[in-house]
Amino acid sequence: MHGEGTFELKPYVHMWQILEEFCFEQKVEIKVPMVDEKKKSKVMQIISKQCGILSITADMEKGKVTVVGNDRMDVTDLTTVLRKKMPHTYVIIDTVTQVDEKKEKEEKDRKKMEEECKNLCPNIIYPPYQYPPYMVESSGQ
């Protein structure tokens, strides 16, 4: 008979499950001068409407907005929209980095362990080491 042989039945897999393996996150820091809460909320609203945004944090003191997004987030589109919606402000891209979840998790765990160790073991100050007196034996000549 034609086509005899064995084959494996694969379970039904959604396309998003396959693409999830290849997705990456990127972290962007944008310098935007924010004078008051109104400007801050306006900046956050503009950013949140963009595609691929996962989280937004704004620091008014430093004048920075940190945006974490997936691979669908377009940094140039994000900045052009900010510049169009806020015409009299300077928008500068500070840094763009890829987020490595494993490294961030390890760093958080390491910092947590260090803090726990500091809480358990207070700083111990040891007295300086006392050297024994140096003695020279003289030969009785």
Side-chain angles (χ1 to χ4, degrees):
M1 291 175 35
H2 292 291
E4 278 190 41
T6 61
F7 62 92
E8 259 183 66
L9 290 175
K10 294 184 180 179
Y12 181 73
V13 179
H14 286 285
M15 188 63 159
W16 60 268
Q17 290 174 330
I18 296 170
L19 293 175
E20 194 172 82
E21 297 175 11
F22 302 106
C23 293
F24 60 92
E25 291 181 0
Q26 53 186 348
K27 182 178 179 181
V28 181
E29 288 185 357
I30 303 171
K31 289 185 181 180
V32 181
M34 295 174 281
V35 181
D36 53 354
E37 288 290 327
K38 188 176 178 182
K39 284 269 190 186
K40 178 182 171 183
S41 65
K42 185 176 180 180
V43 168
M44 291 183 79
Q45 284 177 0
I46 293 169
I47 293 172
S48 65
K49 291 178 183 176
Q50 298 302 308
C51 182
I53 305 296
L54 299 176
S55 70
I56 306 166
T57 54
D59 188 6
M60 283 181 50
E61 294 171 1
K62 294 180 182 177
K64 281 188 181 182
V65 179
T66 306
V67 181
V68 177
N70 57 15
D71 58 339
R72 293 184 295 148
M73 180 179 75
D74 187 13
V75 180
T76 54
D77 187 40
L78 182 68
T79 54
T80 53
V81 168
L82 273 172
R83 287 180 181 139
K84 284 181 183 179
K85 299 276 183 171
M86 302 179 71
H88 299 291
T89 58
Y90 294 106
V91 178
I92 301 168
I93 299 173
D94 194 24
T95 57
V96 178
T97 56
Q98 283 190 356
V99 177
D100 192 9
E101 294 174 10
K102 292 179 185 177
K103 286 183 181 179
E104 283 188 357
K105 187 175 180 182
E106 288 174 4
E107 287 178 15
K108 287 180 183 178
D109 290 341
R110 184 178 51 84
K111 287 180 182 179
K112 191 175 184 181
M113 291 294 288
E114 287 176 0
E115 288 178 11
E116 288 176 3
C117 184
K118 284 181 182 178
N119 292 338
L120 293 175
C121 306
N123 293 338
I124 299 173
I125 301 173
Y126 294 101
Y129 181 73
Q130 298 287 329
Y131 290 99
Y134 184 69
M135 299 203 145
V136 178
E137 290 184 27
S138 61
S139 59
Q141 295 179 3

PDB file of all heavy atoms in Angstrom, residues 7-15 17-18:
ATOM      1  N   PHE A   7       3.590   8.149  11.771  1.00  0.00           N
ATOM      2  CA  PHE A   7       3.751   9.588  11.923  1.00  0.00           C
ATOM      3  C   PHE A   7       3.235   9.987  13.293  1.00  0.00           C
ATOM      4  O   PHE A   7       2.410   9.293  13.882  1.00  0.00           O
ATOM      5  CB  PHE A   7       3.054  10.366  10.806  1.00  0.00           C
ATOM      6  CG  PHE A   7       1.565  10.157  10.772  1.00  0.00           C
ATOM      7  CD1 PHE A   7       0.719  11.017  11.461  1.00  0.00           C
ATOM      8  CD2 PHE A   7       1.019   9.116  10.045  1.00  0.00           C
ATOM      9  CE1 PHE A   7      -0.637  10.824  11.429  1.00  0.00           C
ATOM     10  CE2 PHE A   7      -0.345   8.917  10.011  1.00  0.00           C
ATOM     11  CZ  PHE A   7      -1.188   9.776  10.706  1.00  0.00           C
ATOM     12  N   GLU A   8       3.751  11.098  13.797  1.00  0.00           N
ATOM     13  CA  GLU A   8       3.374  11.587  15.114  1.00  0.00           C
ATOM     14  C   GLU A   8       2.279  12.611  14.997  1.00  0.00           C
ATOM     15  O   GLU A   8       2.341  13.490  14.147  1.00  0.00           O
ATOM     16  CB  GLU A   8       4.584  12.266  15.786  1.00  0.00           C
ATOM     17  CG  GLU A   8       5.270  11.409  16.797  1.00  0.00           C
ATOM     18  CD  GLU A   8       6.396  12.165  17.454  1.00  0.00           C
ATOM     19  OE1 GLU A   8       6.134  13.149  18.167  1.00  0.00           O
ATOM     20  OE2 GLU A   8       7.544  11.769  17.236  1.00  0.00           O
ATOM     21  N   LEU A   9       1.300  12.478  15.835  1.00  0.00           N
ATOM     22  CA  LEU A   9       0.272  13.506  15.905  1.00  0.00           C
ATOM     23  C   LEU A   9       0.741  14.589  16.863  1.00  0.00           C
ATOM     24  O   LEU A   9       1.093  14.307  18.006  1.00  0.00           O
ATOM     25  CB  LEU A   9      -1.048  12.913  16.406  1.00  0.00           C
ATOM     26  CG  LEU A   9      -1.764  11.978  15.458  1.00  0.00           C
ATOM     27  CD1 LEU A   9      -2.987  11.387  16.145  1.00  0.00           C
ATOM     28  CD2 LEU A   9      -2.192  12.719  14.211  1.00  0.00           C
ATOM     29  N   LYS A  10       0.800  15.795  16.379  1.00  0.00           N
ATOM     30  CA  LYS A  10       1.225  16.900  17.226  1.00  0.00           C
ATOM     31  C   LYS A  10      -0.006  17.580  17.808  1.00  0.00           C
ATOM     32  O   LYS A  10      -1.008  17.737  17.116  1.00  0.00           O
ATOM     33  CB  LYS A  10       2.053  17.904  16.429  1.00  0.00           C
ATOM     34  CG  LYS A  10       3.368  17.328  15.961  1.00  0.00           C
ATOM     35  CD  LYS A  10       4.197  18.358  15.273  1.00  0.00           C
ATOM     36  CE  LYS A  10       5.505  17.735  14.816  1.00  0.00           C
ATOM     37  NZ  LYS A  10       6.343  18.681  14.122  1.00  0.00           N
ATOM     38  N   PRO A  11       0.070  17.976  19.073  1.00  0.00           N
ATOM     39  CA  PRO A  11      -1.081  18.671  19.658  1.00  0.00           C
ATOM     40  C   PRO A  11      -1.283  20.026  18.991  1.00  0.00           C
ATOM     41  O   PRO A  11      -0.353  20.625  18.450  1.00  0.00           O
ATOM     42  CB  PRO A  11      -0.706  18.834  21.126  1.00  0.00           C
ATOM     43  CG  PRO A  11       0.772  18.758  21.148  1.00  0.00           C
ATOM     44  CD  PRO A  11       1.172  17.865  20.013  1.00  0.00           C
ATOM     45  N   TYR A  12      -2.510  20.498  19.045  1.00  0.00           N
ATOM     46  CA  TYR A  12      -2.838  21.779  18.451  1.00  0.00           C
ATOM     47  C   TYR A  12      -2.136  22.891  19.222  1.00  0.00           C
ATOM     48  O   TYR A  12      -2.241  22.975  20.445  1.00  0.00           O
ATOM     49  CB  TYR A  12      -4.352  21.990  18.476  1.00  0.00           C
ATOM     50  CG  TYR A  12      -4.785  23.288  17.865  1.00  0.00           C
ATOM     51  CD1 TYR A  12      -4.750  23.471  16.491  1.00  0.00           C
ATOM     52  CD2 TYR A  12      -5.201  24.334  18.652  1.00  0.00           C
ATOM     53  CE1 TYR A  12      -5.138  24.658  15.921  1.00  0.00           C
ATOM     54  CE2 TYR A  12      -5.596  25.534  18.103  1.00  0.00           C
ATOM     55  CZ  TYR A  12      -5.564  25.686  16.732  1.00  0.00           C
ATOM     56  OH  TYR A  12      -5.944  26.878  16.173  1.00  0.00           O
ATOM     57  N   VAL A  13      -1.397  23.720  18.535  1.00  0.00           N
ATOM     58  CA  VAL A  13      -0.639  24.797  19.167  1.00  0.00           C
ATOM     59  C   VAL A  13      -1.052  26.112  18.534  1.00  0.00           C
ATOM     60  O   VAL A  13      -1.100  26.231  17.311  1.00  0.00           O
ATOM     61  CB  VAL A  13       0.882  24.585  18.977  1.00  0.00           C
ATOM     62  CG1 VAL A  13       1.659  25.709  19.608  1.00  0.00           C
ATOM     63  CG2 VAL A  13       1.308  23.252  19.560  1.00  0.00           C
ATOM     64  N   HIS A  14      -1.343  27.089  19.389  1.00  0.00           N
ATOM     65  CA  HIS A  14      -1.673  28.420  18.885  1.00  0.00           C
ATOM     66  C   HIS A  14      -0.424  29.097  18.359  1.00  0.00           C
ATOM     67  O   HIS A  14       0.695  28.834  18.799  1.00  0.00           O
ATOM     68  CB  HIS A  14      -2.266  29.288  20.002  1.00  0.00           C
ATOM     69  CG  HIS A  14      -3.666  28.920  20.346  1.00  0.00           C
ATOM     70  ND1 HIS A  14      -4.737  29.251  19.548  1.00  0.00           N
ATOM     71  CD2 HIS A  14      -4.171  28.247  21.396  1.00  0.00           C
ATOM     72  CE1 HIS A  14      -5.841  28.794  20.096  1.00  0.00           C
ATOM     73  NE2 HIS A  14      -5.526  28.182  21.234  1.00  0.00           N
ATOM     74  N   MET A  15      -0.613  29.992  17.413  1.00  0.00           N
ATOM     75  CA  MET A  15       0.511  30.717  16.826  1.00  0.00           C
ATOM     76  C   MET A  15       1.216  31.572  17.872  1.00  0.00           C
ATOM     77  O   MET A  15       2.428  31.688  17.881  1.00  0.00           O
ATOM     78  CB  MET A  15      -0.001  31.584  15.676  1.00  0.00           C
ATOM     79  CG  MET A  15       1.086  32.207  14.896  1.00  0.00           C
ATOM     80  SD  MET A  15       2.053  30.898  14.128  1.00  0.00           S
ATOM     81  CE  MET A  15       2.816  31.773  12.855  1.00  0.00           C
ATOM     82  N   GLN A  17       1.680  30.919  20.957  1.00  0.00           N
ATOM     83  CA  GLN A  17       2.538  30.093  21.792  1.00  0.00           C
ATOM     84  C   GLN A  17       3.883  29.853  21.121  1.00  0.00           C
ATOM     85  O   GLN A  17       4.915  29.787  21.778  1.00  0.00           O
ATOM     86  CB  GLN A  17       1.864  28.755  22.096  1.00  0.00           C
ATOM     87  CG  GLN A  17       0.689  28.872  23.033  1.00  0.00           C
ATOM     88  CD  GLN A  17      -0.053  27.558  23.193  1.00  0.00           C
ATOM     89  OE1 GLN A  17      -0.085  26.740  22.275  1.00  0.00           O
ATOM     90  NE2 GLN A  17      -0.652  27.373  24.359  1.00  0.00           N
ATOM     91  N   ILE A  18       3.878  29.739  19.810  1.00  0.00           N
ATOM     92  CA  ILE A  18       5.127  29.557  19.077  1.00  0.00           C
ATOM     93  C   ILE A  18       5.933  30.854  19.084  1.00  0.00           C
ATOM     94  O   ILE A  18       7.137  30.862  19.310  1.00  0.00           O
ATOM     95  CB  ILE A  18       4.846  29.101  17.628  1.00  0.00           C
ATOM     96  CG1 ILE A  18       4.172  27.728  17.640  1.00  0.00           C
ATOM     97  CG2 ILE A  18       6.125  29.064  16.808  1.00  0.00           C
ATOM     98  CD1 ILE A  18       3.629  27.293  16.297  1.00  0.00           C
TER      99      ILE A  18
END
